[in-house]
Amino acid sequence: MNPFLDPELSPDVSARTDTQPNRLEGQLSDPLRDPAPMFDLIELLFFAYRDFVGDADRILETYRFGRAHHRVVHFVTRQPGLTIAELLDILRITKQSLGRVLKELLDEGFVESRAGVNDRRQRHLYPTAEGRRLAMDLAQLQSERFAHALEGLPCEARGHMIQFFLAMIDPSDRAHVSALVWPEGSAQQRPAR
Amino acid sequence: MNPFLDPELSPDVSARTDTQPNRLEGQLSDPLRDPAPMFDLIELLFFAYRDFVGDADRILETYRFGRAHHRVVHFVTRQPGLTIAELLDILRITKQSLGRVLKELLDEGFVESRAGVNDRRQRHLYPTAEGRRLAMDLAQLQSERFAHALEGLPCEARGHMIQFFLAMIDPSDRAHVSALVWPEGSAQQRPAR
DNA sequence: TGAAATATGTCAACAAAGCTGTCGTAATTA
DNA sequence: TAATTACGACAGCTTTGTTGACATATTTCA
């Protein structure tokens, strides 16, 4: 129990100098084939993403909504008329999980559901005026954070970000995500190539 | 109930053409002071982060650990000897939440806790060999995703990413995060300026 | 036309990981 | 000596994910 009784592990109790996690000594590793992890990017992405979603969280709280509600109202606003199945495909959650938050958004008048005309089993989802306003407010807030972050960077950096994030996404999903982010006829700048 | 009975909301049921969420008509907005939200970055960051953590999730599953365990073993590996209070400050969760996952990591031999020598109330946390190996494996995996994503970009892009993520973090936390990411004496390249 | 497949909705139970509130104990500080 | 601090633990609650089972309406196919 007493950790002092175990001589096996690093004895430098006071050592906050041992702060760069050296590769396990005695464990050979070729630094060319197995380069040092990018701790900087890993940690910065963690903290950046936390503050990025934190922006939205504060507003959502006033509606008694959570992040799950945000995602739904966001994608419904971005793609008005999308079906339950399409939304499930985007969010990659079960219909039971979606059903819970969607019910609340429907009940509180942020989203509307209509039976399809072609296939009347389907439900097409639309934002209400209030739902669209909420989604846009949240997107605006998050965009401001992006804008501030881009300010100090050269103008080509934004394109680099887009390319970088796209390349971070699993290759099998890239086409799906691209189609969602840059819908047909969108005037938005797609990444070059 | 029947959505067709409500004539108030947009009637274009079949309209998947209405895919760019126009600003609410009749609601004036100055596009200079209130520019269009950066949907592209918002959504790409969402999907990129999902796949980024998804890498780790698959490995963690085999240990029956979750993301919370990952964070703890990561920061303990990065900063061996950090105290409970310091870890709580990094993670911004309650000690009860931390206590749960930390207990499991201690019980299963991924982290070690030792009373401080200066202040014996404190507990200093250290990774065991196994804990360090897990943390490094996970960091390696996530770094590979970063490396692939950076491949197609000019070499200055990596510095841009670092600057960008740092600027995304709340200003009040930037110093804390910087100190954590680039500890004293770290040879890592800090962002210029 | 009748059977099978599909799109959605719903109930119940469970898990991970947050949270609040409370209390106890040891160690330090004033 | 008294107050404060650092940590540990118990109890109960919330959000958001999960499985599994089953119902209902609609469409498709043989």
Side-chain angles (χ1 to χ4, degrees):
Chain A
M1 270 310 180
N2 185 334
F4 286 109
L5 299 181
D6 184 350
E8 153 136 326
L9 288 137
S10 47
D12 48 344
V13 169
S14 65
R16 297 301 296 275
T17 53
D18 174 20
T19 214
Q20 327 172 43
N22 311 311
R23 234 151 253 294
L24 225 41
E25 283 146 72
Q27 179 132 343
L28 328 161
S29 79
D30 177 353
L32 288 179
R33 295 202 37 174
D34 191 31
M38 304 185 199
F39 288 119
D40 50 0
L41 286 178
I42 290 173
E43 287 158 10
L44 289 171
L45 178 53
F46 170 70
F47 292 111
Y49 192 80
R50 175 215 274 180
D51 289 348
F52 167 71
V53 297
D55 278 344
D57 286 347
R58 278 184 294 279
I59 292 195
L60 290 161
E61 232 174 65
T62 70
Y63 293 83
R64 304 205 170 170
F65 287 154
R67 289 180 193 176
H69 302 85
H70 182 185
R71 285 172 211 146
V72 170
V73 81
H74 174 94
F75 286 112
V76 167
T77 297
R78 272 284 275 174
Q79 212 151 334
L82 92 174
T83 65
I84 300 286
E86 287 168 327
L87 188 50
L88 287 175
D89 195 52
I90 291 172
L91 299 176
R92 287 217 216 130
I93 57 177
T94 59
K95 64 178 175 175
Q96 294 90 332
S97 292
L98 173 59
R100 214 164 15 198
V101 294
L102 183 55
K103 187 178 187 318
E104 293 172 350
L105 289 169
L106 290 165
D107 288 350
E108 306 198 26
F110 289 76
V111 169
E112 257 217 346
S113 164
R114 304 185 202 166
V117 276
N118 261 350
D119 185 336
R120 288 175 40 200
R121 292 171 302 180
Q122 293 184 327
R123 296 289 176 262
H124 293 268
L125 302 172
Y126 296 87
T128 64
E130 195 176 12
R132 183 180 296 223
R133 189 163 46 72
L134 173 57
M136 293 300 282
D137 283 351
L138 293 169
Q140 198 60 54
L141 192 62
Q142 295 187 316
S143 295
E144 278 161 31
R145 187 176 287 268
F146 280 133
H148 287 311
L150 287 170
E151 255 166 27
L153 290 170
C155 59
E156 71 268 23
R158 189 182 156 159
H160 290 170
M161 297 301 146
I162 290 175
Q163 251 191 275
F164 176 78
F165 288 142
L166 197 53
M168 287 276 291
I169 295 166
D170 285 341
S172 53
D173 289 333
R174 263 174 227 159
H176 258 88
V177 170
S178 288
L180 195 157
V181 173
W182 300 285
E184 291 299 312
S186 151
Q188 290 292 93
Q189 48 196 2
R190 313 180 63 135
R193 294 196 321 117
Chain B
M1 269 314 183
N2 185 332
F4 286 111
L5 298 181
D6 185 349
E8 152 134 328
L9 288 137
S10 48
D12 49 345
V13 168
S14 66
R16 296 301 297 275
T17 54
D18 174 19
T19 215
Q20 327 173 44
N22 311 311
R23 240 150 249 294
L24 222 45
E25 282 148 70
Q27 180 132 339
L28 326 162
S29 80
D30 177 353
L32 287 178
R33 296 202 36 179
D34 191 30
M38 303 186 200
F39 288 120
D40 49 0
L41 285 178
I42 291 173
E43 288 158 9
L44 289 171
L45 178 52
F46 170 70
F47 291 111
Y49 192 80
R50 175 215 273 177
D51 289 347
F52 168 70
V53 296
D55 278 342
D57 286 346
R58 277 183 294 278
I59 291 195
L60 290 162
E61 232 174 67
T62 71
Y63 292 83
R64 302 206 171 171
F65 286 155
R67 290 181 193 176
H69 303 85
H70 182 187
R71 286 172 209 145
V72 170
V73 81
H74 174 94
F75 286 111
V76 167
T77 297
R78 271 284 274 175
Q79 211 150 336
L82 92 175
T83 65
I84 300 285
E86 287 168 327
L87 188 50
L88 288 175
D89 196 51
I90 290 171
L91 299 176
R92 288 219 215 128
I93 57 177
T94 59
K95 64 177 174 175
Q96 293 88 335
S97 293
L98 173 59
R100 214 166 14 198
V101 294
L102 183 55
K103 187 177 186 319
E104 293 172 352
L105 289 169
L106 291 165
D107 288 351
E108 306 198 24
F110 288 77
V111 169
E112 258 217 346
S113 164
R114 305 185 201 166
V117 277
N118 261 350
D119 184 337
R120 286 175 42 200
R121 293 170 302 178
Q122 294 183 327
R123 297 288 175 264
H124 294 268
L125 302 173
Y126 296 87
T128 64
E130 194 176 13
R132 182 180 295 223
R133 189 164 45 72
L134 174 57
M136 294 300 282
D137 283 350
L138 293 169
Q140 198 60 55
L141 192 61
Q142 296 187 317
S143 295
E144 278 163 29
R145 187 177 287 267
F146 280 133
H148 288 311
L150 286 170
E151 256 167 25
L153 290 169
C155 60
E156 71 268 23
R158 185 175 162 167
H160 291 169
M161 297 300 147
I162 290 174
Q163 253 191 273
F164 176 79
F165 288 142
L166 197 54
M168 286 276 291
I169 296 167
D170 285 340
S172 53
D173 288 333
R174 264 175 228 159
H176 258 87
V177 171
S178 288
L180 195 156
V181 173
W182 301 286
E184 291 299 312
S186 153
Q188 291 292 95
Q189 48 195 2
R190 314 180 63 136
R193 290 195 327 119

